[in-house]
Amino acid sequence: MQFLKSLLISLTASTLLVSAVQAQSPATAPDAMVRDLSNEVLNAIKADKALKSGDTNRVQKLVDEKVLPYTDFQKMTQLSVGPGWRNATPEQRAALTREFRTLLVRTYSGALGQVSDHKVELRPFRAQPTDTDVIVRTQVVASRGDPIQLDYRLEKTDGGWKIYDINILGVWLVENYKSQFSSQVNSSGIDGLIKTLTERNSQLAQKKA
Protein backbone atom coordinates (compact mmCIF):
# COMPACT_ATOMS: atom_id res chain seq x y z
CA MET A 1 0.00 0.00 0.00
CA GLN A 2 2.76 2.45 0.88
CA PHE A 3 4.44 1.62 -2.41
CA LEU A 4 1.32 2.46 -4.39
CA LYS A 5 0.88 5.67 -2.41
CA SER A 6 4.34 6.70 -3.61
CA LEU A 7 3.47 5.77 -7.16
CA LEU A 8 0.29 7.76 -7.19
CA ILE A 9 1.90 10.87 -5.72
CA SER A 10 4.48 10.80 -8.47
CA LEU A 11 1.85 10.83 -11.18
CA THR A 12 1.29 14.47 -10.33
CA ALA A 13 4.24 14.64 -10.38
CA SER A 14 1.63 11.28 -10.38
CA THR A 15 -1.41 10.82 -13.73
CA LEU A 16 -2.45 13.44 -16.19
CA LEU A 17 -2.92 13.97 -20.13
CA VAL A 18 -5.06 13.03 -23.06
CA SER A 19 -2.24 13.55 -25.54
CA ALA A 20 1.33 14.77 -25.38
CA VAL A 21 0.75 17.03 -28.36
CA GLN A 22 -2.97 17.86 -28.23
CA ALA A 23 -3.87 20.96 -26.22
CA GLN A 24 -6.58 20.65 -23.59
CA SER A 25 -9.85 22.35 -24.49
CA PRO A 26 -10.79 24.93 -21.85
CA ALA A 27 -14.31 23.44 -21.99
CA THR A 28 -13.14 19.97 -20.93
CA ALA A 29 -14.85 18.97 -17.68
CA PRO A 30 -12.36 18.54 -14.83
CA ASP A 31 -13.54 15.04 -13.90
CA ALA A 32 -13.30 13.82 -17.48
CA MET A 33 -9.85 15.33 -17.82
CA VAL A 34 -8.57 13.61 -14.68
CA ARG A 35 -10.03 10.24 -15.71
CA ASP A 36 -8.62 10.31 -19.23
CA LEU A 37 -5.25 11.68 -18.23
CA SER A 38 -4.80 9.28 -15.35
CA ASN A 39 -5.48 6.21 -17.45
CA GLU A 40 -3.35 7.60 -20.28
CA VAL A 41 -0.32 7.84 -18.00
CA LEU A 42 -0.92 4.42 -16.45
CA ASN A 43 -1.13 2.91 -19.93
CA ALA A 44 2.10 4.66 -20.93
CA ILE A 45 3.87 3.12 -17.95
CA LYS A 46 2.55 -0.37 -18.70
CA ALA A 47 3.85 -0.13 -22.28
CA ASP A 48 7.34 1.21 -21.47
CA LYS A 49 9.87 -1.11 -19.82
CA ALA A 50 12.23 1.78 -19.09
CA LEU A 51 9.48 3.61 -17.20
CA LYS A 52 8.57 0.49 -15.23
CA SER A 53 12.21 0.07 -14.27
CA GLY A 54 12.24 3.60 -12.81
CA ASP A 55 14.58 5.12 -15.40
CA THR A 56 14.80 8.72 -14.16
CA ASN A 57 15.26 10.22 -17.62
CA ARG A 58 12.21 8.41 -18.94
CA VAL A 59 10.17 9.43 -15.90
CA GLN A 60 11.23 13.05 -16.36
CA LYS A 61 10.23 12.85 -20.02
CA LEU A 62 6.83 11.48 -19.01
CA VAL A 63 6.36 14.32 -16.53
CA ASP A 64 7.45 16.99 -19.01
CA GLU A 65 5.28 15.71 -21.85
CA LYS A 66 2.21 14.41 -20.08
CA VAL A 67 2.04 15.83 -16.56
CA LEU A 68 3.51 19.33 -16.73
CA PRO A 69 0.98 20.82 -19.20
CA TYR A 70 -1.88 19.96 -16.87
CA THR A 71 -0.32 20.56 -13.47
CA ASP A 72 0.41 23.92 -11.84
CA PHE A 73 3.69 23.00 -10.19
CA GLN A 74 4.36 26.62 -9.26
CA LYS A 75 1.13 26.89 -7.29
CA MET A 76 1.80 23.49 -5.74
CA THR A 77 5.25 24.72 -4.66
CA GLN A 78 3.92 28.07 -3.46
CA LEU A 79 1.33 26.43 -1.22
CA SER A 80 3.88 23.92 0.08
CA VAL A 81 6.40 26.63 0.96
CA GLY A 82 3.74 28.73 2.70
CA PRO A 83 4.21 32.35 3.86
CA GLY A 84 7.92 32.34 2.98
CA TRP A 85 6.98 32.34 -0.72
CA ARG A 86 5.86 35.99 -0.51
CA ASN A 87 9.38 37.14 0.33
CA ALA A 88 11.14 34.96 -2.23
CA THR A 89 12.66 36.57 -5.31
CA PRO A 90 11.61 35.43 -8.80
CA GLU A 91 14.90 33.52 -9.05
CA GLN A 92 14.29 31.79 -5.72
CA ARG A 93 10.73 30.89 -6.71
CA ALA A 94 11.95 29.37 -9.97
CA ALA A 95 14.61 27.38 -8.11
CA LEU A 96 12.12 26.13 -5.53
CA THR A 97 9.66 25.01 -8.20
CA ARG A 98 12.39 23.26 -10.18
CA GLU A 99 13.88 21.46 -7.20
CA PHE A 100 10.49 20.46 -5.76
CA ARG A 101 9.41 18.96 -9.08
CA THR A 102 12.72 17.12 -9.35
CA LEU A 103 12.31 15.82 -5.79
CA LEU A 104 8.91 14.34 -6.60
CA VAL A 105 10.22 12.67 -9.75
CA ARG A 106 13.34 11.23 -8.12
CA THR A 107 11.61 10.14 -4.93
CA TYR A 108 8.87 8.15 -6.58
CA SER A 109 10.33 6.97 -9.89
CA GLY A 110 11.18 3.58 -8.41
CA ALA A 111 7.50 2.88 -7.70
CA LEU A 112 6.51 2.63 -11.36
CA GLY A 113 7.48 -1.02 -11.62
CA GLN A 114 4.46 -1.96 -9.51
CA VAL A 115 1.93 -0.82 -12.12
CA SER A 116 0.04 -3.83 -13.46
CA ASP A 117 -3.64 -3.77 -14.38
CA HIS A 118 -4.44 -0.61 -12.41
CA LYS A 119 -7.01 1.83 -13.72
CA VAL A 120 -8.67 4.98 -12.43
CA GLU A 121 -12.40 5.22 -11.78
CA LEU A 122 -14.29 8.42 -11.02
CA ARG A 123 -16.34 8.81 -7.89
CA PRO A 124 -19.47 11.04 -7.90
CA PHE A 125 -18.48 14.57 -8.92
CA ARG A 126 -20.41 17.56 -7.61
CA ALA A 127 -19.69 21.05 -8.88
CA GLN A 128 -21.46 24.06 -10.31
CA PRO A 129 -20.76 25.30 -13.85
CA THR A 130 -19.48 28.56 -12.35
CA ASP A 131 -16.99 26.89 -9.98
CA THR A 132 -13.34 27.71 -10.62
CA ASP A 133 -11.83 25.51 -7.89
CA VAL A 134 -12.99 21.91 -7.53
CA ILE A 135 -12.07 18.52 -6.09
CA VAL A 136 -12.27 15.47 -8.35
CA ARG A 137 -12.46 12.24 -6.37
CA THR A 138 -11.23 8.99 -7.87
CA GLN A 139 -10.14 5.54 -6.85
CA VAL A 140 -7.40 3.39 -8.33
CA VAL A 141 -8.47 -0.21 -8.74
CA ALA A 142 -6.76 -3.44 -9.76
CA SER A 143 -7.78 -7.07 -9.98
CA ARG A 144 -6.25 -7.65 -6.56
CA GLY A 145 -6.24 -5.46 -3.47
CA ASP A 146 -8.51 -2.75 -2.13
CA PRO A 147 -9.27 0.42 -4.12
CA ILE A 148 -6.98 3.34 -3.33
CA GLN A 149 -8.45 6.80 -2.72
CA LEU A 150 -6.89 9.43 -4.98
CA ASP A 151 -8.38 12.92 -5.13
CA TYR A 152 -7.32 16.03 -7.02
CA ARG A 153 -7.70 19.76 -6.44
CA LEU A 154 -7.98 21.71 -9.69
CA GLU A 155 -8.19 25.39 -10.58
CA LYS A 156 -9.76 26.72 -13.76
CA THR A 157 -7.38 28.89 -15.78
CA ASP A 158 -7.45 30.50 -19.21
CA GLY A 159 -5.71 27.38 -20.52
CA GLY A 160 -8.13 24.94 -18.92
CA TRP A 161 -8.17 23.06 -15.62
CA LYS A 162 -4.86 22.66 -13.76
CA ILE A 163 -4.12 20.22 -10.95
CA TYR A 164 -2.34 21.75 -7.97
CA ASP A 165 -2.77 19.24 -5.14
CA ILE A 166 -3.37 15.51 -4.68
CA ASN A 167 -4.94 13.61 -1.79
CA ILE A 168 -3.84 10.00 -1.26
CA LEU A 169 -5.73 8.02 1.35
CA GLY A 170 -6.68 11.18 3.21
CA VAL A 171 -3.31 12.96 3.05
CA TRP A 172 -2.95 16.04 0.83
CA LEU A 173 0.47 16.32 -0.80
CA VAL A 174 0.75 20.08 -0.19
CA GLU A 175 -0.10 19.80 3.49
CA ASN A 176 2.36 16.93 3.89
CA TYR A 177 5.26 18.99 2.56
CA LYS A 178 4.16 22.31 4.06
CA SER A 179 5.15 21.38 7.60
CA GLN A 180 8.57 20.22 6.44
CA PHE A 181 9.21 23.28 4.29
CA SER A 182 7.97 25.77 6.88
CA SER A 183 10.35 24.38 9.45
CA GLN A 184 13.25 24.66 7.02
CA VAL A 185 12.37 28.25 6.02
CA ASN A 186 12.05 29.29 9.68
CA SER A 187 15.47 27.89 10.52
CA SER A 188 17.53 28.83 7.45
CA GLY A 189 15.39 30.91 5.11
CA ILE A 190 14.41 30.36 1.49
CA ASP A 191 18.01 29.80 0.41
CA GLY A 192 18.33 27.15 3.09
CA LEU A 193 15.27 25.34 1.75
CA ILE A 194 16.63 25.51 -1.81
CA LYS A 195 19.95 24.13 -0.61
CA THR A 196 18.24 21.29 1.26
CA LEU A 197 16.14 20.35 -1.77
CA THR A 198 19.16 20.51 -4.07
CA GLU A 199 21.22 18.31 -1.76
CA ARG A 200 18.38 15.83 -1.39
CA ASN A 201 18.00 15.59 -5.15
CA SER A 202 21.74 15.02 -5.51
CA GLN A 203 21.61 12.23 -2.92
CA LEU A 204 18.71 10.57 -4.71
CA ALA A 205 20.50 10.82 -8.05
CA GLN A 206 23.63 9.19 -6.59
CA LYS A 207 21.55 6.47 -4.95
CA LYS A 208 19.84 5.74 -8.26
CA ALA A 209 23.19 5.60 -10.04
Side-chain angles (χ1 to χ4, degrees):
M1 182 66 71
Q2 180 62 39
F3 199 81
L4 283 175
K5 286 173 66 178
S6 298
L7 161 65
L8 297 169
I9 291 176
S10 71
L11 298 181
T12 325
S14 191
T15 64
L16 316 165
L17 171 77
V18 174
S19 166
V21 297
Q22 181 180 10
Q24 175 198 171
S25 168
T28 302
D31 55 336
M33 188 200 80
V34 167
R35 179 199 61 212
D36 294 342
L37 276 52
S38 299
N39 285 312
E40 179 84 9
V41 171
L42 288 174
N43 289 336
I45 295 169
K46 296 172 189 176
D48 191 324
K49 291 182 179 180
L51 275 174
K52 286 180 67 65
S53 70
D55 184 306
T56 303
N57 290 332
R58 293 292 297 162
V59 175
Q60 185 64 62
K61 187 172 186 293
L62 177 74
V63 171
D64 290 343
E65 292 183 351
K66 296 184 178 293
V67 178
L68 185 59
Y70 299 92
T71 304
D72 190 342
F73 274 107
Q74 178 166 309
K75 181 168 184 175
M76 186 182 295
T77 307
Q78 175 183 350
L79 294 174
S80 297
V81 172
W85 181 269
R86 292 196 298 268
N87 299 321
T89 66
E91 292 77 13
Q92 288 174 322
R93 291 178 178 181
L96 285 168
T97 302
R98 181 184 64 251
E99 296 300 331
F100 186 37
R101 185 177 68 176
T102 300
L103 176 65
L104 292 175
V105 171
R106 292 195 180 280
T107 299
Y108 302 111
S109 61
L112 302 185
Q114 295 299 305
V115 173
S116 56
D117 60 347
H118 297 87
K119 62 180 180 179
V120 174
E121 296 180 349
L122 292 177
R123 297 167 67 192
F125 177 65
R126 298 177 180 85
Q128 299 299 318
T130 55
D131 288 345
T132 58
D133 197 293
V134 301
I135 296 178
V136 174
R137 305 185 187 279
T138 77
Q139 60 182 12
V140 180
V141 298
S143 58
R144 300 180 61 183
D146 296 328
I148 300 172
Q149 173 192 346
L150 183 63
D151 303 333
Y152 298 85
R153 279 200 173 108
L154 300 93
E155 181 180 39
K156 191 173 186 179
T157 71
D158 292 340
W161 290 95
K162 303 284 186 179
I163 294 170
Y164 68 90
D165 201 1
I166 296 178
N167 181 327
I168 301 173
L169 297 176
V171 179
W172 287 100
L173 183 147
V174 165
E175 195 64 32
N176 182 56
Y177 279 100
K178 188 174 182 178
S179 59
Q180 303 175 39
F181 289 176
S182 295
S183 177
Q184 184 69 53
V185 171
N186 289 336
S187 63
S188 55
I190 291 293
D191 284 335
L193 175 57
I194 294 172
K195 181 180 179 182
T196 297
L197 290 173
T198 302
E199 291 175 347
R200 179 57 178 160
N201 286 330
S202 178
Q203 292 170 358
L204 290 171
Q206 292 175 8
K207 182 179 180 180
K208 180 65 178 178

